[in-house]
Amino acid sequence: TPPGQPPPPLGVAIEESAESMKNRAKGRPPFEWNTQDTYTFALWSAYTDFLSWKVLNLPGIRPFALQSVLGLQPIHVTVYEMDEEEDSHQHGNNGKAQPHIRSED
C-alpha cells in the first residue's frame, strides 16, 4: 500500500491484478519492492493449516505436523510503528522503533 493510502482490510480476500498474475506466471516479480510502501501478505493452501502448522487434505494420508518434515523452524513476527519524523531506514533494534508485539513460535 503506498504511503497515505489505507491498507486492505484484514479477513477478506486480497485480489491480485491481471497484470501481476501475468508477470508472476512469466517468472517476473509482480512489483518492485521498496521501503516506502506497506506490504500485506495472504497465505492460503488447501493442504496446509497455517494456524495449527499441519498438512491436511492429502488423499490417503492422515493430517500430520509440518514440524515432522521441516523440524523446528522459527517464525519471527515483529509489529512496530515509527513516527513520521523518524528516518524510514531505521528499523528494529538499531533504530528508534520499539516493538509492540514480538512472537517467536
Side-chain angles (χ1 to χ4, degrees), residues 82-102:
M82 296 181 68
D83 292 332
E84 289 183 22
E85 299 91 37
E86 293 181 45
D87 182 0
S88 63
H89 298 288
Q90 294 182 346
H91 295 279
N93 295 333
N94 295 328
K96 299 175 186 174
Q98 297 297 318
H100 291 301
I101 301 170
R102 181 165 177 103

Side-chain angles (χ1 to χ4, degrees), residues 28 40 45 47-48 59 62 74-75 85 91-92 95-96:
R28 292 186 228 144
T40 302
S45 171
Y47 306 105
T48 306
R62 291 183 181 176
I75 296 176
E85 299 91 37
H91 295 279
K96 299 175 186 174

Side-chain angles (χ1 to χ4, degrees), residues 31-42:
F31 53 86
E32 294 293 324
W33 293 95
N34 65 66
T35 59
Q36 303 301 313
D37 294 346
T38 299
Y39 296 95
T40 302
F41 298 92

Side-chain angles (χ1 to χ4, degrees), residues 68-79:
S68 67
V69 177
L70 300 175
L72 292 174
Q73 298 288 326
I75 296 176
H76 302 280
V77 177
T78 303
V79 178

Side-chain angles (χ1 to χ4, degrees), residues 42-51 54-58 66:
L43 301 174
W44 181 89
S45 171
Y47 306 105
T48 306
D49 180 339
F50 292 103
L51 293 178
K54 290 184 179 181
V55 175
L56 60 159
N57 298 328
L58 293 176
L66 275 169

